[in-house]
Amino acid sequence: MKFSEAWLREWVNPEITRDELVHQITMAGLEVDEVLPVSGKFTKVLVGEVVECGPHPDADKLQVTKINIGAEQLIDIVCGAKNCRLGLKVAVAVVGAVLPGDFEIKQAELRGQPSAGMLCSESELGMAENSEGILELPQAAPVGTCVRKLLHLDDITIDVDLTANRADCLGIAGLAREVGVLNSVKVNEPTWENAAVTLTEQVAINLQAPEACPRYLGRVIRGINQQAKTPLWMVEKLRRCGVRSVDAVVDITQYVLLELGHPMHAFDLDKLEGGIEVRLAQQNEKLTLLDGKEVKLNANTLVVADSQKALAIAGIFGGLDSGVSEGTTNVFLESAFFAPLAIAGRARSYGLHTDASHRYERGVDPMLQTKAIERATQLLVSICGGEVGPVTEAFSEQHIPTQATITLRANKLNSLIGISIERNRVTTILTQLGCDVKVTTEGWEIVAPTYRFDMEIEEDLIEEVARVYGYDNIPNVAPLAPLTMTTHNEARLKLSKVRDVLVGREYHEAITYSFVDPDKQLKLHPEADALILPNPISKDMSAMRVSLWTGLLESVSKNQKRQQNRVRLFETGLRFTKDENAENGIRQEEMLSAVIVGNLNDEHWDISTRPVDFFDLKADLQALFDLCADAHSFEFKAEQHSALHPGQSAGIYRNGKNIGYIGTLHPSLTKPFALNGTPIVFEIELAQITTRNLPSAGDISKFPANNRDLAFVVDEQLSAGNVLKFIEKIGGTQLVGINLFDVYQGQGVEEGKKSLAIGLILQDTTRTLEEQEIADNVTKIVEAVSKQFNASLRD
């Protein structure tokens, strides 16, 4: 809502500065977005009168004028404006004047004719972005007067960002009420004499949808002069509120809207057939709007119609066929209350947003219609003339909103605000707000005014008291509360730690959509029963993902298409699978997934390059397992997966439970995903690596460690990890380290066998181990491994 400070001060003029006014409005909950001057900076621009005007002898489009500015002599000015004419009062920039943009007026000669100044247009004075001719001032304007003072151009436009519940302030009247209450100053509402009724003609009004329009007023006005020019004072007030002048009738309805906050509309009376009907539209009923656009109306749209056709979308936009035009002499003036729920959303459904719909869908005072139509009539007759008929009203009392009756308790008020406000002060505030106040022993009984339809419950009144009392006047008191220790699961590993490990290993985090292409997902997971969206954004985003791989592989493809051949990505997010036992039949699990492709290292003259393989990604995954301080609980088992290469895939287990998969992408899937190279991927349940073992303090040995190396010959199908875990299990407390440092097959090793070279580290925390103790431990390990795995020591 934009408004002029000068217009507001006509209604209420507290003794505060401009800056204080702006701050006060903001602190009252009506946030000021912007403050702008109403014109550019200029000096020495005076009111002048054209006393001579003739064509330029050497230029068809120029005129030579003599201008009276109240000086001893007339001044000569050459002007190119088409609307320059004899007797016109104009804005004259004399020699030495400075216009917006630091443009100085100097004595000049145009096509041989002297010019001692310039006749200014609105745009040249910074009052408009563009204008067709020079500014025409009122004939009563005194010659020689400063134009800036005449038009009060030291004014400002204040743009207020109103919340949806404060529609009562979408007009100067509502804003004036607010400022008056905040400063305890009387509001000087303008008064006028209602136009005399000289006609008996009326138009019948039929409310067919009273729940949507419970009150409708109309009036016939005949014999108006549509060619009458809108007074400059009205044009200026409209302009400073962000409204462009159109013609007198439209400008008057817009003026009433801005002044009182009530939308108005005028129909061409001669284009109406029969009476007025306020009804719901017929499905696909056609209506050509004022902007020339034809729309097909929906059955839930309220329209104003005559007996033959729809005339306008009620409370939103008028129709072209019934609109006021240049030839209009008779009008039917409308002033109505439309229920907010009947208007809300309708404008947007037709791609519209108008000043009327903005107000009606938020709420208009249901008792303001008579005042609005009388104000519009008075302005119309004074500017355009005409004969006035009586006001015709259709009214459905049962559908008019009732005034809310609210109980405000003093103890609740003081409790929520945090301070105790004098009861007399509260009574005064509520009365100034327009409420009917009754003081009770516990507080107050309030009847809200008709224009404050946002007052419904006790908390609404508490808010009003607090903001009028002044948030700045409420002392800052720190709240007192007992401190209690919160429960903290130290074993829970932060996700940031997981991210840090992967980023430290040159991964980038990706964030992909939870919606994926069902065809591509089916190629990765042919057995998955995915959730299909009934109204997807697009076909390739119509299925909920059952794995993060689909989005990650598409991200790899996009990167490779942009010459990024070495890609390392990871993502955390939810996967969605059907589960009858889960809430709503959908199980949501947070997963961690990663993919690598390309060379292991960036190209460098001192580093040899090779493509990444299964064991590179496995090493990155094991680095995550180390965060859990429980790496021995994880293991890899050779398993097949529909998306992975049959010979290069494994299931990931923790404590015997499958938690994910790792492997090389199946070769048949590189083409559907437009991939280059051989991507390696893994996906695990995130919760399985964010639960860790807490460290426990132990003694650090001061005694030397002893290394022993063993080489076991075992079946080539035996997993080395199983052997290591077995040795760790039976090694006892003196076995403090174990490492597989070589795997060998070939000469010296029987076919179908392999040699596992394992390093053992033995140490005690209380003493130096003797050689015999070390030998006994090693013998125990050799015998146990030989028995468990049918192994033998390599010669």
Side-chain angles (χ1 to χ4, degrees), residues 29 59 85 91 161 173 193-194 257 315 382 504 516 525 612 622 652 654 705 722 746 750 771 780:
R85 60 189 182 275
D161 185 11
E193 289 188 9
N194 293 341
L257 177 141
S382 64
V516 297
H525 309 279
V612 292
Q622 286 178 315
I652 306 169
R654 186 176 191 185
N722 291 340
E750 182 182 350
E771 186 63 33
K780 182 180 70 170

Side-chain angles (χ1 to χ4, degrees), residues 498 501-507 566-570 592 594-597 600 612-627 636 662 680 682 684 689:
V498 176
V501 168
L502 291 171
V503 170
R505 299 177 81 88
E506 300 185 86
Y507 283 81
R566 182 175 181 266
V567 181
R568 302 172 74 87
L569 299 176
F570 78 92
L592 168 65
V595 56
I596 59 174
V597 67
L600 178 63
V612 292
D613 60 22
F614 175 92
F615 295 101
D616 295 320
L617 187 62
K618 182 184 176 185
D620 295 333
L621 187 55
Q622 286 178 315
L624 295 177
F625 295 162
D626 290 340
L627 293 174
F636 298 87
I662 182 173
I680 321 294
F682 78 72
I684 59 173
I689 59 168

Side-chain angles (χ1 to χ4, degrees), residues 498-766:
V498 176
R499 290 191 175 114
D500 289 344
V501 168
L502 291 171
V503 170
R505 299 177 81 88
E506 300 185 86
Y507 283 81
H508 290 84
E509 184 171 12
I511 300 175
T512 64
Y513 287 107
S514 297
F515 317 122
V516 297
D517 187 334
D519 295 333
K520 290 184 177 180
Q521 178 164 266
L522 197 61
K523 293 181 184 299
L524 290 169
H525 309 279
E527 75 290 345
D529 184 10
L531 297 161
I532 304 299
L533 301 178
N535 298 297
I537 299 173
S538 61
K539 182 181 181 300
D540 58 358
M541 298 180 69
S542 60
M544 300 297 289
R545 65 186 179 191
V546 298
S547 164
L548 276 59
W549 283 346
T550 309
L552 275 181
L553 292 175
E554 289 183 340
S555 296
V556 170
S557 176
K558 289 179 181 178
N559 277 274
Q560 289 181 334
K561 289 174 181 176
R562 289 159 179 78
Q563 290 77 49
Q564 299 299 317
N565 298 319
R566 182 175 181 266
V567 181
R568 302 172 74 87
L569 299 176
F570 78 92
E571 180 178 12
T572 59
L574 295 174
R575 70 176 179 185
F576 306 87
T577 54
K578 294 181 180 179
D579 186 348
E580 294 180 357
N581 298 322
E583 185 178 357
N584 298 324
I586 303 171
R587 186 172 74 254
Q588 302 182 48
E589 297 174 289
E590 196 164 9
M591 308 297 290
L592 168 65
S593 186
V595 56
I596 59 174
V597 67
N599 290 331
L600 178 63
N601 300 301
D602 285 324
E603 291 186 5
H604 190 274
W605 64 271
D606 194 37
I607 300 176
S608 60
T609 60
R610 65 169 178 82
V612 292
D613 60 22
F614 175 92
F615 295 101
D616 295 320
L617 187 62
K618 182 184 176 185
D620 295 333
L621 187 55
Q622 286 178 315
L624 295 177
F625 295 162
D626 290 340
L627 293 174
C628 301
D630 190 25
H632 68 275
S633 66
F634 295 92
E635 62 178 323
F636 298 87
K637 295 181 180 179
E639 289 183 5
Q640 292 190 9
H641 188 282
S642 57
L644 303 178
H645 193 293
Q648 301 179 36
S649 64
I652 306 169
Y653 288 79
R654 186 176 191 185
N655 295 323
K657 177 191 174 184
N658 180 277
I659 62 170
Y661 289 90
I662 182 173
T664 303
L665 188 69
H666 199 288
S668 65
L669 296 174
T670 56
K671 185 175 181 180
F673 283 90
L675 298 170
N676 298 322
T678 306
I680 321 294
V681 296
F682 78 72
E683 183 170 60
I684 59 173
E685 297 173 14
L686 184 61
Q688 294 295 332
I689 59 168
T690 53
T691 304
R692 61 179 174 177
N693 282 340
L694 296 178
S696 56
D699 294 333
I700 298 176
S701 179
K702 303 176 183 178
F703 303 98
N706 299 272
N707 298 315
R708 294 292 185 270
D709 295 337
L710 300 174
F712 291 104
V713 177
V714 298
D715 291 339
E716 64 177 349
Q717 300 300 325
L718 180 62
S719 169
N722 291 340
V723 177
L724 295 177
K725 285 186 177 181
F726 180 75
I727 295 175
E728 185 177 4
K729 181 178 179 181
I730 66 168
T733 58
Q734 293 178 347
L735 180 65
V736 297
I738 182 171
N739 177 45
L740 174 69
F741 63 86
D742 185 44
V743 178
Y744 173 75
Q745 285 180 281
Q747 187 176 357
V749 176
E750 182 182 350
E751 187 176 351
K753 302 285 187 177
K754 62 182 177 182
S755 171
L756 303 178
I758 300 173
L760 306 177
I761 302 175
L762 295 102
Q763 189 180 33
D764 196 281
T765 58
T766 60

Side-chain angles (χ1 to χ4, degrees), residues 199-217:
L199 300 176
T200 59
E201 182 180 1
Q202 298 185 56
V203 174
I205 301 171
N206 180 16
L207 299 181
Q208 297 184 15
E211 67 285 348
C213 176
R215 193 175 193 198
Y216 189 99
L217 281 66

Side-chain angles (χ1 to χ4, degrees), residues 216 267 276-278 302-306 309-312 314 334 338:
Y216 189 99
F267 297 100
I276 291 293
E277 297 179 1
V278 185
L302 189 69
V303 296
V304 178
D306 59 20
K309 60 188 179 299
L311 304 175
E334 166 194 282
F338 300 114

Side-chain angles (χ1 to χ4, degrees), residues 65-353:
T65 67
K66 286 188 179 295
I67 308 296
N68 175 20
I69 59 170
E72 293 181 358
Q73 295 182 341
L74 302 178
I75 60 174
D76 297 315
I77 295 179
V78 178
C79 176
K82 294 181 180 180
N83 64 328
C84 182
R85 60 189 182 275
L86 186 65
L88 186 66
K89 293 288 182 72
V90 293
V92 183
V94 298
V95 173
V98 178
L99 300 183
D102 293 330
F103 178 65
E104 185 178 355
I105 302 300
K106 299 178 180 180
Q107 182 76 36
E109 188 174 291
L110 298 176
R111 297 286 184 92
Q113 296 293 322
S115 184
M118 174 177 163
L119 305 185
C120 301
S121 66
E122 289 96 326
S123 59
E124 288 161 340
L125 297 179
M127 297 168 61
E129 292 185 2
N130 52 64
S131 52
E132 295 182 357
I134 57 177
L135 175 62
E136 298 186 18
L137 298 175
Q139 285 300 307
V143 171
T145 304
C146 174
V147 169
R148 179 169 287 277
K149 290 183 179 179
L150 175 72
L151 299 180
H152 306 289
L153 294 179
D154 290 327
D155 189 15
I156 58 169
T157 292
I158 302 174
D159 189 358
V160 177
D161 185 11
L162 296 172
T163 52
N165 66 316
R166 292 309 307 273
D168 60 297
C169 289
L170 286 170
I172 295 294
L175 289 166
R177 279 195 301 263
E178 283 292 302
V179 175
V181 171
L182 295 172
N183 294 279
S184 298
V185 176
K186 182 180 178 182
V187 176
N188 300 312
E189 187 173 345
T191 58
W192 63 86
E193 289 188 9
N194 293 341
V197 176
T198 56
L199 300 176
T200 59
E201 182 180 1
Q202 298 185 56
V203 174
I205 301 171
N206 180 16
L207 299 181
Q208 297 184 15
E211 67 285 348
C213 176
R215 193 175 193 198
Y216 189 99
L217 281 66
R219 159 175 273 170
V220 171
I221 303 177
R222 286 191 174 274
I224 69 167
N225 176 16
Q226 174 62 352
Q227 303 304 316
K229 194 168 184 180
T230 305
L232 183 60
W233 63 266
M234 182 178 287
V235 172
E236 272 297 286
K237 284 185 175 179
L238 294 177
R239 179 182 73 84
R240 297 176 196 191
C241 293
V243 177
R244 180 177 59 87
S245 174
V246 178
D247 58 53
V249 175
V250 173
D251 290 350
I252 288 166
T253 58
Q254 289 282 31
Y255 183 86
V256 174
L257 177 141
L258 293 171
E259 183 182 54
L260 302 180
H262 192 287
M264 301 285 297
H265 188 68
F267 297 100
D268 189 324
L269 180 64
D270 297 330
K271 296 177 182 178
L272 303 186
E273 301 177 75
I276 291 293
E277 297 179 1
V278 185
R279 59 174 173 82
L280 293 175
Q282 300 171 8
Q283 185 64 36
N284 295 326
E285 184 176 359
K286 293 182 179 180
L287 174 65
T288 302
L289 302 177
L290 283 170
D291 60 2
K293 177 184 176 183
E294 184 180 83
V295 295
K296 290 183 179 180
L297 301 173
N298 297 319
N300 65 346
T301 301
L302 189 69
V303 296
V304 178
D306 59 20
S307 59
Q308 300 297 321
K309 60 188 179 299
L311 304 175
I313 303 178
I316 298 175
F317 212 30
L320 181 63
D321 295 337
S322 61
V324 174
S325 61
E326 291 183 1
T328 298
T329 57
N330 306 311
V331 298
F332 176 76
L333 206 57
E334 166 194 282
S335 178
F337 172 75
F338 300 114
L341 292 179
I343 306 300
R346 306 299 190 275
R348 286 184 293 277
S349 68
Y350 298 105
L352 301 171
H353 182 78

